[in-house]
Structure formats: structure tokens, C-alpha cells
Amino acid sequence: MIPRRPLVAGNWKMNGLKASLAELAAIRDAVAAGHAGDAEIVVCPPATLIAAAAELCAGSRIAIGGQWCHAQSSGAHTGDISAAMLKDAGAIFVIVGHSERRIEHAETDGLVRGQAEAALGAGLTAIVCIGETAAERREGRTLAVLERQVGGSVPTAAGPGSIVIAYEPVWAIGTGLTPTPADVADAHAFIRRHLDALMPGEAGAVRILYGGSVKPANAAELLAAADVDGALVGGASLTCKDFMGIAGVYRSADASRGDRSP
Ligand code: 13P
């Protein structure tokens, strides 16, 4: 199996004022103190805080990400933001295809793929979100939706170094509901099989995150599921205490691995 470094990303959504940077500084210091083990840690604050967040975390183990980018590199698009602007502000990652964007802004797979391509073009790593709604799950269409979203949203030029997939069942976001670890493992294995068609031989190295009501109380069992390479965390990423309660799963994992010398 190709080793995949765990990744825990926080999506602050439309939350956070300058005062929230104190929480980010606490996260930075906790990660520096080893609280997240070897896991890669990303925080995606609102666009207004990206430059300050990147400055605050410069030289640390925290990477900063955006929450969205336009498919075009510049132009007459009032209120929008390009991948190059995110990169210029200090972002390394950008989330695209989040269900809140797909639903509230009617973003299609094709549009999301364009945004992901723009991200890759600007040198950002794209975190592409996919996931079924409650109705799609009820109707037994989960796997068909995931297949369509993987095929439609992931750029053909993507590889393990430029793309991360986040499986976020829409019905699990902000609800306190989660799939069982077995369901998550099945979905992730299915996603990986379909990624293989896009990047033959490389899908085994792509990180697939689970997102949707990940909390300190359920992180250990969700993150231990097969094919789960980390988490995309919403509400629980807003405080250092909760975010580290999740990322801390990897500290324990490192500790239990024992002697890590070569
Ligand atoms: P919650 O963790 O608040 O359910 O949000 C998940 C999410 O949408 C992350 O992108």
C-alpha cells in the first residue's frame, strides 16, 4: 500500500473575525508541541483572514487554505476571488465543490472541475468535496452520485500531489449525524476505485478525507476506518480545543506505533 500522510483540515466557513486569529495561534502552537502527531494540518479561514493567517503561521506546521476560487484567473467578476489571489495571500490549499457552494450557488460538477483546474494552475492543492444528500441516500443513489461527482469534478490532470478528495455526506454536515465507520470505509474505497480511472496507478496515493460532524468524541472511530486519510472539519475546527481533540487522534496513533526510527 502507498503510504498516505494523514491530513486534518478545518473549514471555518463564514465564521471568523480578526479576533479569531488568537484561536489559530493556539492551534499553531499545539501542533508545534506535537499534539497532532505527524498529521498535516490545514486551516481554511474566510478570505478576509487568509493573509493574516498565513503570516501568523509562516514557518509553522499549519498550512492555510481558501474555501473557494473562481474558474477564471482574473476579470470582471465582482465579489469573486481567483486561485492566484489566494496563493498570493499565502494559501497553499483551496476547498472546491463544497456542498454549501453546490447547493446555495448552484455549482455543477463541471464548474467545480473548472475551479479545481484553476487551483492546480495557480499551484494550489485542491480539496474537492463530494457527497450525497439525504434524499439521494434514501433512494439508494449514494454510489451513483459519488461516481458522477468524481468523474465530473476532478480534473484529469490531477494527481496525488495536487488533489485531495473530501467525502462529505450532505446530511451529515452540521447535523451531528454521521455514517457508520463501515459505510465511510465503503464510500472511500468506492471513490478510490473511481479515481483510478482518472489517474491510473496513482489513486492509491490520493488522500481521501471524511467530513460531516467530525467531533472529538467520534474522531477516533471515523479516522480509523479503512481508506480514511484524515478529516475535513467544520464547526469543531473553530476552537483549538475541539480541533486538537480531533487531530490528536494522530498523536495517539504515532505514540502507539512505538519505535519510529528508520
Ligand atoms: P461540520 O463539521 O460542521 O459538520 O461541517 C463539515 C463540513 O462541511 C466541512 O467542510
Side-chain angles (χ1 to χ4, degrees), residues 58-117:
S60 80
R61 288 212 17 224
I62 310 289
I64 301 301
Q67 299 177 10
W68 179 86
C69 67
H70 201 284
Q72 305 289 318
S73 56
S74 64
H77 302 289
T78 302
D80 284 350
I81 187 161
S82 73
M85 291 170 183
L86 295 175
K87 172 99 173 168
D88 188 50
I92 306 284
F93 288 79
V94 61
I95 297 167
V96 294
H98 193 282
S99 59
E100 287 149 18
R101 300 288 320 179
R102 290 179 185 264
I103 293 166
E104 294 176 25
H105 299 272
E107 293 188 353
T108 60
D109 287 327
L111 194 59
V112 171
R113 174 156 53 195
Q115 295 165 357
E117 284 168 351

Side-chain angles (χ1 to χ4, degrees), residues 25 33 37 59 61 81 95 111 113 130 146 153 162 177 181 183 209 211 238 245 254:
R61 288 212 17 224
I81 187 161
I95 297 167
L111 194 59
R113 174 156 53 195
I130 59 175
L146 296 180
S153 310
S162 60
L177 302 171
D183 282 350
L209 313 182
L238 294 172
D254 286 351

Side-chain angles (χ1 to χ4, degrees), residues 197-214:
L198 292 173
M199 47 186 94
E202 291 193 308
V206 174
R207 290 174 295 181
I208 305 178
L209 313 182
Y210 169 75
S213 295
V214 180

Side-chain angles (χ1 to χ4, degrees), residues 15 34 138 216:
N15 299 290
R138 250 193 331 271

